[in-house]
Structure formats: C-alpha cells, structure tokens
Amino acid sequence: MSVDTLEFKAELKQLLHLITHSLYSEREIFLRELVSNASDAIHKIRHGSIDKDELLEGDRDWKIKIVPDADAKTLTISDNGVGMSRDDVVDQLGTIAKSGTKAFLAAIRVTKQADTPGLIGQFGVGFYSAFMVADTVTVRTRPAGGPHLGTTWKSDGQGTFTVEDAPKATRGTDVVLHLKEDAREFLDPYRLQQLVRKFSDFVEHPIVMDETEEKDGVKTTKEVTINNRKAVWLRSKSEVTQEEYAEFYKSISHDTEPPAKTLHFAVEGKTEFKALVFIPAHRPFTMDWEEPKGGLKLYAQRVLIMDRCEEVLPPYLRFVTGVVDAADLPLNVSRELLQRNPLLETIRKNVIRNILSGLEAMKNTEYEKYVAFHKGLGSVLKEGLARDWSNRDKIADLLLFESANTEPGTYITLADYVAKMPEGQSQIHYLTGETAAQLRNSPYLEAFKAKGQDVLLLTDPIDEFAIPQYGEYKGKPLQAADRGDLKEVGGEIPQETTDRFAALLTALKATLPEVADVRLTKRLVDSAACLVADAGGMTANLERLMKKFGEAAADSKRVLELNPDHATVAALRELFESNPSDPRIESGARLLLDQAVIAEGSKIADPAGFAKRINELLAASLR
Ligand code: ADP
C-alpha cells in the first residue's frame, strides 16, 4: 500500500491545536505518558502469552528503551510490546476520538487551560502530549507476525497524518519525537534519567538507556536500567517517603494534587496480599465517565493482571486509586476465572474495611481535610448506605450533614444528632431539598424548632433514595419531616378544634381538587399552610428530581395542611361560617395553597392567577 494522508478526527484536531499552540510549565509529563503506553503495550502481549513462544518470536526480553540522538535532535521511546497493525494505527492514533477527548476539551474550557498537562493524562489522551515537545512525531510499529506487517505513522500535529507500510525488524513500537527547538533539554541523558525516576520508577518493566564509556581510547556502549522497578507497595512503610507515595499516586491516578490519605497495609495468613490505596483530596474529573480512570490495579507478585479490578472495589468507593498485590493469584487466567476466585472476595472485604477505617481516622484526626473530601465525594460514599448491607453502619458514621441547628457550612454526624436528641424524641428527622439555605427557611421546620428538635438538611439527590433505604440509625428511624403526620412533635389536635374546622375543610377539599386532602396540622407555628406527602408518598424534592432525570413521575397529589392557630386560617373559618358562598373563600384557599407550593420549593401552577389574587388583596388593604 502506498502513503495515505488522512485527517485527524475533528475533536483530535482541536486537541492538537491546543497542545501545539499553548505554553506549558509541566510539559515533561509527555515522557510519563509515552512510557506508560509502552508499558501497557508490553503488558498486553505478556499477559496471556506465557506459552506462545512462537508468537513472541523468542523475544521475551521485555523492555522500554529511551534513545536521545543529539545529532538528529530526536528522542525515541521504543518497546517490544503488542505493536499495532496498520488499521490499529489509523484508529488509535487519529480517527477514533475516545470519550476522554471531548471531556478533556470541555475541562480545559472550564479550567481556562491553567493545567493542561495535568489534564492530558487524566483524560486518556496521553499519546498526543508528544506534540508539546515535538514538531513532528513518527511512529514505527508492528504486531507479532513478521517484518512485512510494519507501518509508519507520521504527523506534524497540524490536522493530518500519513501512514505507509514499512517493514520493521522487531515487534513493538518506536515513537520518534523530532524535538522542538525549545525542547532540546530532553536530549540530555541526565534529565531523562531524572524524569524516569520521578515519574516511572516503579514501572514493572525495565526502562533502559545506552551508556557509553571510554576506557583507554576504546568506547563501549552498554544498556543500563534506569528505573528502580521497586514496587512502592511491596516496600515497608518506614522505607517510603511521603513524596514517593505522592509521586506514585499522581502517576496512577493522573491527579495533580497529592492524595488526602494514603493507606498502605499488608495482610498475612491464609490470604496474603499487600495493598496501597489512596483517597483523593477532591472529586476526580473522570469519575463519572463511562470508562473512568483510576480504580484498583490487581497484581500478582508485581505482574499486573488487571488494570481496574472492580471485583475488589465496590462502586461507592470508586474514587479510590491504588494497587493490590496478591501472592497467590494465578498469573495466566482469564478475567472470568479470576472473578470467581474466592481470594478476591477476601481481599475485597479487607480492602473495604481498611478504606472505611482510614476515612474514619481522617474524620477524627484531620477534620478539615475530611470535610473537603466529603464535600466532593460524600454523595458517592452515601450510595453504600443502600448497597453495602454489611458496612452500612460504618458508612453512616462517616457522613456529615448540615442541620437546622448548625451554622451554614458546618456539619454534624448522625452520632452527634442522636447525642443531642431531647427527651421524648424517638426519630431522626430530615428534610430534603435543593439547598440548605432554602431548607433553613422551610415552614416544615417550625414545629421541630419549637420543640427543640433538630432536623437534618439533605441536599444530595442520592439522599432521596439512600436515606429511606437505610431506614434507621442505631434503632432510631429516619423520618422525612414533610411526610406523614406529626403526632410526636406537634401533639394531637384537640377534638374541639377538629370539630370547629370540619365543615370548612370539607368545602376546601371540593374547592382544591389538586390536593389529596386538606387537614389541620400542629407542624406549623408561624406559617399558615404547607404541603406534605402522605406517609408512603413522594416528597416534593423527589418528584422534582425525577422530572429532572426525565422520569415521567405522575404528579403525586399532596396533602394541604393548615395551621388552625394562624390568624389567616381562623379568619377564613369565620368568613365561611358567616357566608359559605363568599367568593373570597376560594381566593383565600388558592392563596394558601400557592404559598405552600412556594415554600416547598416548587413552582406554582398558575402564576397569573396568583398575581391577580394578591393584587385584589393588596388593593383592598391599601384602600
Ligand atoms: P491511552 O493510552 O489512555 O489509551 P493514548 O492517546 O495515549 O491513550 O493512546 C491511544 C492508543 O494508542 C492506546 O490505547 C493504544 O491502543 C495505542 N498505543 C499508544 N501507544 C502505543 C504503544 N507504544 N504500543 C501499542 N499501542 C499503543
């Protein structure tokens, strides 16, 4: 086949434009990205080909070689990994833009390009970081199967690339960077060694460079391995510095900040494994993607066998990154077989326990840090309340809440709440809504406040599902403040009051067909009316959420509750008694309903009618 010139996919063009036209402070990360691709490529052919010597053409000397060429001004990163076929090259390096590319471009817009290199790694567009330092990149590659399968890819990153068949003697990939004039520092062997130690020291395959020695006028060249290959997680805790942990964390998570918490532990006995896991300081950008980065890498004696092992990390802990290295896992089995290995279940339990107690320790000893973590990731952790039956009490103890009694921006735990429950309170009250500020002014809090009882203010969408599923904390039921009746807090309404209002309530029910019922309440102190869900019904917040997520929740009818001690409600009753057909009764009833709708944070159905009624009232009172 001849030389083909092809266009980069549109998103990739944009990405390349950004990469080639901006100035970066941390562009040296290109080396980490290319070494990491090389290491992945070796992993792909190594794992699962133990007995396929033929396929490997006898070459099992796994390594990544870095070759600076001062005369040609090139830097080459070579590997003897899987390599790529011509079709692979076209797909992988030019025409298929992965989900990461678009998200990367969006994130750059949000962060105003402040941290482009850091983001490149996070978004899985690592190869293209080569264009930060090179004005032309040539990739020579071939899969196992003979020299005739080779392909050469070339581009200046300006919108097109070329591919041509080009025989290659050995399996694997060479990425040749024709360095930009201002990037010649990357020809310096010392600089390169320094970078490898910084970013890729623990890469499991040797990273080598040629070293030339001159002795008695004779030059000899030998290959030296520059990475220590010391798996950080296998070293003892006392040997590893915080900086080493942080570098390792950054390289596996692509986060630019150090982790909030590092957990390094070993389990001995029947199941032996070592684990090094990190809790991020903030919500990772990539967390909610289809193919999120991070997760737990599963190793068997330093050999990577699974990159994101979901079997050992439940979804509600998906913000964790790290490594688990188990001594007794079989190296060469399929994912399906591995998934059924009982060892994984033991590891999983252990890892979860360590992460949860690590979080507990952080909450108790590094509270500020914990609050920052919880702000970004508390909502993810909460998923565990509903999903991890055996750990849900531990998870519940890790949650922080604003409440009616806390200052805005300060938090309490469920344990704090229970400790402060006054005599006679048997339930934990909560109110869900969009913001704590809005909830603080809610009429639903009035009766609780009057009784000295606190109410948790919940604003994560997940609360609507997770809290009711959890059900109770230490024997205390969790009860929505805007649901059901409130005998415990408000007390019973005297029979005499009920009798006095009975006729009015019946009339109002007929006037307001949009509510399920109209009844008296002890829930309110200062307000005249509010809407509540029936005991098993949907709260207003849940209904709003379902609409937002496109679920066609049929508007569930709510109950309009009136405060019999409120002057407006009392006046309405008197008016009704003197003339049941006075038109002001309907108008008054509608205004009570509308103010209750506004108070629960929803939209009123007929804003024009509302304005008209308010104006009639205003006109009358201003006259
Ligand atoms: P990522 O590595 O996150 O998938 P990249 O943009 O760095 O993203 O690489 C894109 C793809 O190109 C890789 O997924 C891989 O299929 C292929 N690739 C890159 N470098 C190599 C290499 N050295 N050997 C084999 N394939 C490679």
Side-chain angles (χ1 to χ4, degrees):
M1 252 185 269
S2 52
V3 184
D4 282 345
T5 302
L6 296 164
E7 288 215 18
F8 282 112
K9 173 126 188 165
E11 286 101 286
L12 289 173
K13 270 192 204 167
Q14 282 182 49
L15 174 78
L16 282 163
H17 184 85
L18 259 167
I19 288 175
T20 51
H21 288 85
S22 315
L23 276 176
Y24 305 118
S25 52
E26 266 190 273
R27 58 184 185 169
E28 73 240 28
I29 61 111
F30 80 92
L31 192 62
R32 175 183 75 196
E33 298 303 321
L34 297 181
V35 166
S36 148
N37 282 351
S39 174
D40 290 349
I42 293 176
H43 167 67
K44 277 183 204 156
I45 189 160
R46 184 178 179 184
H47 182 56
S49 62
I50 299 275
D51 43 76
K52 295 186 187 130
D53 231 16
E54 217 169 288
L55 174 77
L56 299 179
E57 303 161 42
D59 179 8
R60 289 174 174 282
D61 183 16
W62 311 111
K63 67 184 169 198
I64 299 158
K65 186 162 185 172
I66 299 181
V67 183
D69 182 334
D71 298 328
K73 313 274 188 292
T74 59
L75 176 65
T76 303
I77 292 100
S78 301
D79 66 67
N80 53 356
V82 274
M84 287 176 273
S85 67
R86 185 174 171 129
D87 288 347
D88 285 344
V89 181
V90 171
D91 287 353
Q92 300 297 339
L93 305 182
T95 53
I96 294 184
K98 286 182 287 182
S99 62
T101 316
K102 261 198 182 131
F104 170 76
L105 291 167
I108 292 270
R109 252 169 255 133
V110 175
T111 59
K112 306 231 168 12
Q113 304 185 21
D115 180 31
T116 312
L119 288 172
I120 283 178
Q122 279 189 45
F123 287 87
V125 288
F127 170 77
Y128 301 97
S129 66
F131 288 98
M132 293 199 285
V133 295
D135 36 38
T136 307
V137 177
T138 307
V139 178
R140 297 188 296 252
T141 185
R142 83 154 166 89
H148 59 283
L149 293 175
T151 306
T152 295
W153 175 105
K154 195 169 173 178
S155 176
D156 58 5
Q158 304 286 326
T160 60
F161 62 92
T162 60
V163 272
E164 66 181 304
D165 293 348
K168 183 174 180 297
T170 52
R171 178 196 70 234
T173 303
D174 305 332
V175 178
V176 186
L177 312 178
H178 306 264
L179 294 172
K180 289 182 183 175
E181 205 159 314
D182 64 2
R184 302 278 158 84
E185 67 192 280
F186 301 112
L187 291 172
D188 175 2
Y190 295 104
R191 176 94 170 106
L192 293 167
Q193 285 177 19
Q194 183 201 17
L195 290 177
V196 167
R197 295 226 175 86
K198 179 172 174 195
F199 291 133
S200 313
D201 205 33
F202 49 82
V203 167
E204 63 176 301
H205 311 110
I207 303 171
V208 302
M209 279 177 78
D210 281 339
E211 218 172 69
T212 309
E213 256 183 31
E214 204 175 323
K215 214 176 172 185
D216 307 327
V218 187
K219 279 189 182 173
T220 47
T221 301
K222 62 172 194 240
E223 248 174 26
V224 291
T225 300
I226 41 184
N227 57 331
N228 258 313
R229 303 176 61 206
K230 258 206 197 162
V232 190
W233 59 93
L234 295 183
R235 290 160 60 189
S236 87
K237 257 191 200 175
S238 57
E239 276 176 27
V240 189
T241 65
Q242 285 311 314
E243 288 72 36
E244 284 175 304
Y245 279 134
E247 273 313 327
F248 177 65
Y249 167 69
K250 286 183 194 175
S251 73
I252 59 167
S253 67
H254 301 283
D255 193 350
T256 47
E257 273 177 54
K261 184 111 192 137
T262 302
L263 304 167
H264 191 176
F265 54 94
V267 171
E268 268 142 37
K270 227 167 89 198
T271 309
E272 284 194 20
F273 74 94
K274 293 203 161 71
L276 175 55
V277 304
F278 300 97
I279 294 162
H282 57 96
R283 192 181 174 91
F285 265 122
T286 59
M287 222 184 61
D288 302 310
W289 293 6
E290 269 168 56
E291 304 165 64
K293 295 247 148 188
L296 281 189
K297 293 178 192 292
L298 185 65
Y299 282 73
Q301 313 235 45
R302 304 194 44 220
V303 179
L304 181 67
I305 52 177
M306 215 190 280
D307 203 29
R308 274 182 66 79
C309 185
E310 281 157 6
E311 289 72 26
V312 294
L313 194 69
Y316 71 92
L317 295 176
R318 61 186 177 277
F319 47 82
V320 166
T321 23
V323 168
V324 169
D325 196 324
D328 307 321
L329 278 177
L331 254 185
N332 208 20
V333 297
S334 67
R335 193 170 184 124
E336 290 71 41
L337 269 180
L338 199 61
Q339 281 163 350
R340 275 186 263 137
N341 192 313
L343 256 182
L344 284 192
E345 188 48 34
T346 315
I347 294 177
R348 175 186 164 94
K349 279 193 187 135
N350 235 295
V351 165
I352 295 177
R353 194 175 59 231
N354 273 282
I355 294 172
L356 295 180
S357 56
L359 286 169
E360 182 67 33
M362 187 161 125
K363 188 186 78 184
N364 296 334
T365 58
E366 300 170 288
Y367 189 68
E368 298 294 308
K369 237 188 196 179
Y370 185 76
V371 169
F373 156 82
H374 191 280
K375 264 193 194 141
L377 291 161
S379 59
V380 180
L381 196 59
K382 255 180 222 164
E383 293 171 18
L385 279 186
R387 289 193 179 159
D388 187 346
W389 217 241
S390 55
N391 287 300
R392 58 206 192 117
D393 291 329
K394 279 190 195 150
I395 298 166
D397 275 323
L398 288 170
L399 302 177
L400 302 180
F401 302 94
E402 281 199 60
S403 80
N405 287 348
T406 59
E407 290 297 317
T410 59
Y411 305 90
I412 55 169
T413 58
L414 285 170
D416 297 335
Y417 181 99
V418 170
K420 289 213 170 124
M421 275 167 54
E423 187 111 4
Q425 180 180 353
S426 66
Q427 298 179 324
I428 299 173
H429 311 295
Y430 67 88
L431 189 59
T432 55
E434 272 163 63
T435 65
Q438 201 179 60
L439 292 176
R440 280 177 197 286
N441 296 320
S442 166
Y444 300 110
L445 301 182
E446 290 172 7
F448 300 100
K449 278 187 190 154
K451 279 264 177 183
Q453 301 189 0
D454 201 1
V455 179
L456 301 175
L457 308 178
L458 309 183
T459 53
D460 286 328
I462 181 80
D463 292 325
E464 285 289 354
F465 311 95
I467 300 291
Q469 285 233 22
Y470 182 49
E472 59 173 60
Y473 173 78
K474 306 226 160 120
K476 309 265 186 298
L478 288 146
Q479 173 65 39
D482 55 351
R483 183 177 296 170
D485 65 8
L486 256 199
K487 291 202 180 72
E488 182 182 303
V489 181
E492 297 279 354
I493 295 167
Q495 189 57 46
E496 182 242 342
T497 313
T498 314
D499 294 343
R500 212 153 16 107
F501 279 85
L504 172 68
L505 297 184
T506 311
L508 293 184
K509 233 186 290 182
T511 313
L512 302 172
E514 57 269 60
V515 297
D517 195 5
V518 183
R519 67 185 179 211
L520 297 179
T521 187
K522 284 280 196 178
R523 194 186 298 272
L524 302 172
V525 178
D526 300 320
S527 302
C530 68
L531 281 166
V532 299
D534 247 340
M538 233 191 268
T539 63
N541 190 51
L542 179 56
E543 201 175 296
R544 276 196 303 272
L545 276 173
M546 297 196 49
K547 278 188 191 154
K548 203 154 117 191
F549 294 130
E551 295 278 338
D555 289 86
S556 59
K557 283 189 177 181
R558 268 184 287 281
V559 176
L560 179 66
E561 292 195 341
L562 300 180
N563 176 1
D565 302 325
H566 195 279
T568 307
V569 179
L572 197 63
R573 182 183 57 79
E574 280 160 22
L575 181 62
F576 178 77
E577 274 166 12
S578 63
N579 177 11
S581 52
D582 190 311
R584 286 177 296 171
I585 294 171
E586 173 168 3
S587 161
R590 295 232 149 259
L591 278 172
L592 284 172
L593 174 61
D594 282 346
Q595 57 174 276
V597 171
I598 293 170
E600 70 167 20
S602 301
K603 281 190 183 143
I604 47 182
D606 175 19
F610 173 73
K612 187 167 155 264
R613 284 186 280 277
I614 284 277
N615 283 324
E616 280 165 11
L617 272 185
L618 267 179
S621 75
L622 294 175
R623 224 170 256 146

